[in-house]
Amino acid sequence: MNLEGRKIIVNKSSKELTELLKTPENYKDFMPDGLQKFETRDNGFKFGLQGMPEIALKIDEVTDQKAVLKSASSSLDFSLTATLNPISENQTEVQMLFEGKFNPFIKMMVEKPLQNFINTLTDKIEAYK
């Protein structure tokens, strides 16, 4: 299952975004309303949203072109990637991409909430100062 967020322009350089996305604590600023738990770990974080199970993510890779978060749970196989495309010295195009391997039943249950989550992340990153 693949989901995409809309492409946005962020008024930060790709280097600034790379530094921001390397630090687990910074992801709290991008979480949707209804965040009930946020806990940082060595290389990632765990969060809980109202009405959803807690999700643990690890920061897998952060470069000038992308930031990749992967599921920290062996029972869920997915990744969330933010592509970073520098437009100018102080602007970067960002797009969220979700890739997950789920059975059809799970896919049917999670597809809409995941798309909403990706849309909210996109909005929060776009509004980030």
Side-chain angles (χ1 to χ4, degrees), residues 1-5 96-99 110-111 114-115 118:
M1 175 173 78
N2 296 324
L3 300 172
E4 292 184 6
M96 303 298 297
L97 306 171
F98 177 89
E99 186 178 323
V110 301
E111 192 165 14
L114 275 172
Q115 186 66 59
I118 290 167

Side-chain angles (χ1 to χ4, degrees), residues 64-81:
D64 287 349
Q65 287 88 37
K66 65 183 174 181
V68 181
L69 303 175
K70 291 199 173 180
S71 170
S73 166
S74 58
S75 61
L76 293 173
D77 184 9
F78 70 86
S79 64
L80 182 61
T81 302

Side-chain angles (χ1 to χ4, degrees), residues 9-13 16 90-92 126 128-129:
I9 306 296
V10 178
N11 292 319
K12 292 194 178 303
S13 69
E16 284 178 279
N90 296 313
Q91 285 191 321
T92 306
E126 187 175 38
Y128 191 77
K129 300 290 181 228

Side-chain angles (χ1 to χ4, degrees), residues 4-99:
E4 292 184 6
R6 63 187 172 86
K7 291 181 179 179
I8 57 170
I9 306 296
V10 178
N11 292 319
K12 292 194 178 303
S13 69
S14 62
K15 185 176 175 116
E16 284 178 279
L17 285 173
T18 300
E19 288 305 310
L20 182 74
L21 296 172
K22 281 181 184 176
T23 308
E25 294 85 25
N26 292 337
Y27 287 87
K28 186 174 186 178
D29 295 334
F30 305 131
M31 290 290 123
D33 297 335
L35 182 68
Q36 295 189 312
K37 178 178 186 176
F38 190 89
E39 187 179 290
T40 60
R41 298 172 168 196
D42 288 344
N43 63 344
F45 56 94
K46 183 179 193 177
F47 68 96
L49 298 172
Q50 193 170 343
M52 287 181 64
E54 289 182 4
I55 298 171
L57 296 171
K58 63 182 179 187
I59 300 172
D60 188 60
E61 175 186 7
V62 179
T63 68
D64 287 349
Q65 287 88 37
K66 65 183 174 181
V68 181
L69 303 175
K70 291 199 173 180
S71 170
S73 166
S74 58
S75 61
L76 293 173
D77 184 9
F78 70 86
S79 64
L80 182 61
T81 302
T83 62
L84 309 175
N85 182 20
I87 293 174
S88 68
E89 201 173 293
N90 296 313
Q91 285 191 321
T92 306
E93 180 185 75
V94 178
Q95 184 178 27
M96 303 298 297
L97 306 171
F98 177 89
E99 186 178 323

